Amino acid sequence: MSSIYIPGQKLGSIRTYESGPGTYVRGDCIFASVSGVLEETTSASGFGKKKVQIIRKKDSLLVPQIGSIVLTRVTKINTRFATCMILSIDETVLPDPFPAIIRKQDVRKTEIDKVEIWNCFRPGDLVRCKVISLGDTRSYFLSTAEIDLGVVYATSIAGEVMYPISWEEMECPKTKMREHRKVAKIRLAGQVEAAGK
């Protein structure tokens, strides 16, 4: 899932890359404007730069099913649930996201009554979830109650990508400030592995 990029995620500097389809430039940086997979190509400009673009895999028949592992982006939270958009299903990027929610009772298996959504997720977080119900007409219901489910990407208040230090905390490499999250225990090459719960 490390190759999946979401709108607003930084791709590189304009000093190194040229902006291609599915990206935009702000200041000196290039960002993704759509969800998809990063692709680097040789630029036709002749300045020795590579062009970066985001490729959206088209699969209109792909929809979440009960038991599907999905990657979501949190859009807002309240005391009862986190509202999300499903960006990929079983590592396949969706051309258009599906709305979903993670209810308070589906965050963890234990101590459900002590769960506070604000201490588990924040808007902008990427969260690995399992589809547990087709929900209602507006949203799928998701769970992060298993050890390998939870936040896999988050930025700090300072705008830095944080790394997990436990199953419930992530740390900003710049400020060393810690923020609460429900962290996923993931095993991907080159990534920090955090103890899950």
Side-chain angles (χ1 to χ4, degrees), residues 163-170 181-184 193-196:
Y163 58 89
I165 56 172
S166 75
W167 64 269
E168 61 179 358
E169 283 188 317
M170 300 182 89
R181 294 292 196 280
K182 195 293 180 181
V183 181
E193 181 178 300

Side-chain angles (χ1 to χ4, degrees), residues 41-77:
T41 58
T42 303
S43 172
S45 67
F47 294 115
K49 293 182 180 179
K50 286 191 173 182
K51 181 182 284 187
V52 289
Q53 60 184 0
I54 298 295
I55 304 299
R56 298 176 68 175
K57 186 171 181 179
K58 302 292 183 181
D59 193 341
S60 59
L61 299 177
L62 188 64
V63 295
Q65 303 293 329
I66 293 175
S68 295
I69 299 298
V70 297
L71 183 68
T72 69
R73 182 182 188 183
V74 177
T75 55
K76 59 183 177 179
I77 58 174

Side-chain angles (χ1 to χ4, degrees), residues 54-193:
I54 298 295
I55 304 299
R56 298 176 68 175
K57 186 171 181 179
K58 302 292 183 181
D59 193 341
S60 59
L61 299 177
L62 188 64
V63 295
Q65 303 293 329
I66 293 175
S68 295
I69 299 298
V70 297
L71 183 68
T72 69
R73 182 182 188 183
V74 177
T75 55
K76 59 183 177 179
I77 58 174
N78 61 34
T79 56
R80 296 180 296 115
F81 57 82
T83 303
C84 311
M85 296 304 289
I86 298 175
L87 305 176
S88 70
I89 303 172
D90 298 320
E91 300 189 28
T92 300
V93 178
L94 297 171
D96 297 296
F98 291 96
I101 61 173
I102 307 169
R103 299 173 298 180
K104 182 177 177 179
Q105 64 265 33
D106 298 321
V107 173
R108 290 197 302 243
K109 286 184 180 178
T110 59
E111 300 180 325
I112 295 171
D113 56 325
K114 295 182 181 179
V115 170
E116 293 182 5
I117 292 292
W118 182 255
N119 284 332
C120 299
F121 315 109
R122 301 284 172 88
D125 288 356
L126 287 184
V127 186
R128 189 170 189 259
C129 308
K130 178 182 279 189
V131 179
I132 56 172
S133 168
L134 302 182
D136 52 29
T137 56
R138 292 170 297 175
S139 299
Y140 289 87
F141 290 162
L142 308 177
S143 170
T144 58
E146 296 179 23
I147 195 170
D148 60 339
L149 303 177
V151 177
V152 295
Y153 176 92
T155 56
S156 67
I157 295 172
E160 298 291 323
V161 177
M162 296 191 293
Y163 58 89
I165 56 172
S166 75
W167 64 269
E168 61 179 358
E169 283 188 317
M170 300 182 89
E171 185 173 284
C172 174
K174 183 177 182 180
T175 65
K176 303 302 180 186
M177 291 288 291
R178 296 181 178 184
E179 296 182 22
H180 287 281
R181 294 292 196 280
K182 195 293 180 181
V183 181
K185 182 176 182 179
I186 53 177
R187 293 182 176 86
L188 296 175
Q191 292 194 359
V192 177
E193 181 178 300

